Amino acid sequence: VVFFFQAEDGIRDSVASRGLGDVYKRQSTQSTWGINAEYMGFIRLRKKIMVKFLKPGRVVVLLAGRHAGKKGVIVKQLDDGVKKGRKFPHCLIAGIEKAPRKVTKRMGKKRIAMRSRIRPFVKFVNYAHIMPTRYVLGAELDLKNLVKDEDLLVPDKKPEMNKAIKKLFEEKYTSPPAVKDEKALSAEYFFKKLKFQTSITRS
């Protein structure tokens, strides 16, 4: 026996039904699929028009790992995560593990040179483990020729790469530009150590 039921929208159902509830159930499922399709289309459109601000030269702060709280600059971004063993969006970062210390005019040249030493680091970092800042380093601190992702896989080339980065960082720190423009402020922020305040609770 086949029963025909009249739905509210005027569409007749010609299949075997267990009542009006079955008709309304199918209608709600169809409407839900339509809403999901529209939402997914909106997400794809948003990804296409979304501006990529994680570009080479952007100063970031690391949030996890042994270098948490340290500053770095993006050398190369890998949005698709095509590297072997890293199937997630990540980037190649060159940062400062040990920042230079404060110097004054009363110090001698030897003491200033010792306190201006910088210890760099180079590593791949997940996008979820960095916090981008508004500061961008220009072409004056170009690291593309010094830092290459292929050299990180070779243990013998990594020390030489760190020495080249250390020399470049120290040269840019000891000879800052005379004009205080946006690039000079970005470099000043990059070489300055972050300060963290710890709260002590007394019982």
Side-chain angles (χ1 to χ4, degrees):
V1 180
V2 179
F3 296 94
F4 295 91
F5 294 95
Q6 181 72 24
E8 291 182 0
D9 55 359
I11 301 175
R12 301 186 67 87
D13 196 353
S14 60
V15 297
S17 177
R18 294 188 296 272
L20 286 174
D22 188 58
V23 177
Y24 294 139
K25 183 178 180 180
R26 288 197 299 272
Q27 289 179 355
S28 63
T29 304
Q30 293 173 0
S31 62
T32 304
W33 277 106
I35 294 172
N36 291 337
E38 293 178 0
Y39 178 73
M40 293 304 297
F42 170 74
I43 292 297
R44 295 191 190 98
L45 179 62
R46 188 179 68 175
K47 287 184 178 180
K48 289 182 180 179
I49 65 177
M50 187 168 49
V51 179
K52 295 182 180 179
F53 59 93
L54 292 176
K55 295 181 179 180
R58 175 74 62 179
V59 179
V60 298
V61 178
L62 278 70
L63 303 177
R66 59 176 293 187
H67 297 108
K70 306 296 183 180
K71 296 177 185 176
V73 58
I74 297 178
V75 180
K76 183 179 180 181
Q77 78 276 16
L78 301 166
D79 298 331
D80 300 329
V82 295
K83 284 292 180 181
K84 185 177 180 181
R86 297 183 180 89
K87 298 181 180 180
F88 49 84
H90 61 283
C91 56
L92 179 62
I93 289 181
I96 299 177
E97 183 176 356
K98 184 180 179 181
R101 292 181 288 178
K102 182 180 178 180
V103 296
T104 59
K105 294 181 179 180
R106 298 179 60 182
M107 296 180 182
K109 293 183 178 180
K110 185 176 181 181
R111 189 176 182 185
I112 290 176
M114 290 184 63
R115 296 178 71 90
S116 300
R117 291 179 180 177
I118 297 174
R119 185 188 304 164
F121 70 90
V122 183
K123 64 187 299 187
F124 290 102
V125 185
N126 192 335
Y127 280 173
H129 298 157
I130 60 175
M131 182 182 69
T133 64
R134 67 181 182 91
Y135 298 99
V136 179
L137 298 176
E140 69 276 358
L141 197 65
D142 191 9
L143 296 168
K144 291 183 179 180
N145 298 328
L146 298 178
V147 182
K148 297 181 180 180
D149 49 356
E150 295 85 4
D151 295 343
L152 290 177
L153 304 177
V154 183
D156 297 336
K157 292 185 178 181
K158 192 171 181 180
E160 299 178 359
M161 183 171 54
N162 286 332
K163 289 181 181 179
I165 299 171
K166 173 185 173 67
K167 183 179 179 181
L168 179 62
F169 282 175
E170 290 179 354
E171 288 178 356
K172 296 301 179 182
Y173 175 72
T174 54
S175 58
V179 181
K180 286 288 185 178
D181 55 354
E182 188 66 26
K183 294 181 179 179
L185 294 176
S186 299
E188 183 179 354
Y189 173 80
F190 176 67
F191 290 114
K192 190 175 181 181
K193 183 180 179 181
L194 285 177
K195 295 182 180 180
F196 298 93
Q197 183 177 1
T198 59
S199 59
I200 301 175
T201 58
R202 297 181 179 178
S203 56

